[in-house]
């Protein structure tokens, strides 16, 4: 059943939710990568060879810093939206909880467990998931492209 406000909305909820889900599905893997990369990447060191005093390789430092920060910034951005921005602006206070349990946990919970914890029936839960994903998409930065898809 379609809500009256959805009929006149310019946002394509299905495509917008799919875009947000495409981003959030990456979260657990990128979080693990960000945690595992801390202080592990470095330029190779030659042992047993005569060498001059050590000189820093600024090009390598820049590349390593970029690789380490990319996943960390992605995770920080997702966490900020879900933990800070959504609770302040969400119509439903269960949206951040659903997104945390479904996507942000390192081991995401199955839908039936989340439904039971938030006290929703199946159709109500899936509507809340779609609404939460759309709200997440609205907060996601527009660079390089917006997650929100217009119908027109």
């Amino acid at each position: 059943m379609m809500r009256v406000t959805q009929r006149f909305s310019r946002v394509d909820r299905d495509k917008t939710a799919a875009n947000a889900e495409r981003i959030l599905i990456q979260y657990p893997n990128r979080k693990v990568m960000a945690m595992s990369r801390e202080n592990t990447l470095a330029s190779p060191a030659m042992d047993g060879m005569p060498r001059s005093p050590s000189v820093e390789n600024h090009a390598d430092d820049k590349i390593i810093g970029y690789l380490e920060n990319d996943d960390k910034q992605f995770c920080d951005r997702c966490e900020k939206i879900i933990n800070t921005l959504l609770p302040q602006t969400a119509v439903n206070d269960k949206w951040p909880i659903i997104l945390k349990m479904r996507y942000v946990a390192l081991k995401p919970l199955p839908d039936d467990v989340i439904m039971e914890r938030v006290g929703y029936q199946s159709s109500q839960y899936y509507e809340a998931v779609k609404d939460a994903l759309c709200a997440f998409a609205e907060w996601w930065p527009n660079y390089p492209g917006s997650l929100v898809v217009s119908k027109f």
Side-chain angles (χ1 to χ4, degrees):
M1 184 169 166
M2 184 180 279
R3 297 178 188 165
V4 174
T5 55
Q6 291 173 347
R7 181 178 307 249
F8 302 109
S9 175
R10 293 186 175 189
V11 175
D12 187 334
R13 290 179 67 239
D14 294 330
K15 290 180 182 176
T16 300
N19 286 345
E21 186 169 37
R22 184 174 39 83
I23 293 292
L24 284 170
I25 284 175
Q26 299 174 26
Y27 180 86
N29 292 335
R30 292 185 80 164
K31 182 70 172 181
V32 169
M33 292 299 290
M35 290 178 353
S36 68
R37 280 194 182 131
E38 290 178 3
N39 300 322
T40 58
L41 293 176
S43 297
M46 305 292 286
D47 289 334
M49 299 290 290
R51 58 185 156 160
S52 62
S54 144
V55 177
E56 290 186 17
N57 186 340
H58 297 292
D60 277 356
D61 291 342
K62 283 176 117 177
I63 292 169
I64 290 168
Y66 175 78
L67 290 174
E68 287 178 344
N69 289 333
D70 185 44
D71 288 331
K72 185 176 181 331
Q73 287 175 353
F74 175 88
C75 294
D76 290 346
R77 186 178 304 132
C78 290
E79 290 168 5
K80 181 179 179 183
I81 291 171
I82 292 173
N83 294 330
T84 308
L85 300 174
L86 273 184
Q88 295 173 3
T89 60
V91 174
N92 186 335
D93 61 342
K94 293 183 181 178
W95 291 354
I97 296 166
I98 291 170
L99 292 181
K100 283 180 201 172
M101 287 193 263
R102 192 165 193 219
Y103 300 106
V104 177
L106 290 179
K107 185 177 178 190
L109 298 173
D111 287 335
D112 55 343
V113 173
I114 300 171
M115 276 188 256
E116 184 179 318
R117 289 196 182 168
V118 296
Y120 282 165
Q121 296 297 321
S122 181
S123 61
Q124 188 181 16
Y125 169 73
Y126 288 110
E127 276 299 313
V129 168
K130 191 181 289 186
D131 290 339
L133 288 169
C134 288
F136 178 86
E138 289 177 5
W139 280 109
W140 190 257
N142 288 338
Y143 178 79
S146 177
L147 297 180
V148 179
V149 178
S150 176
K151 287 182 183 178
F152 307 109

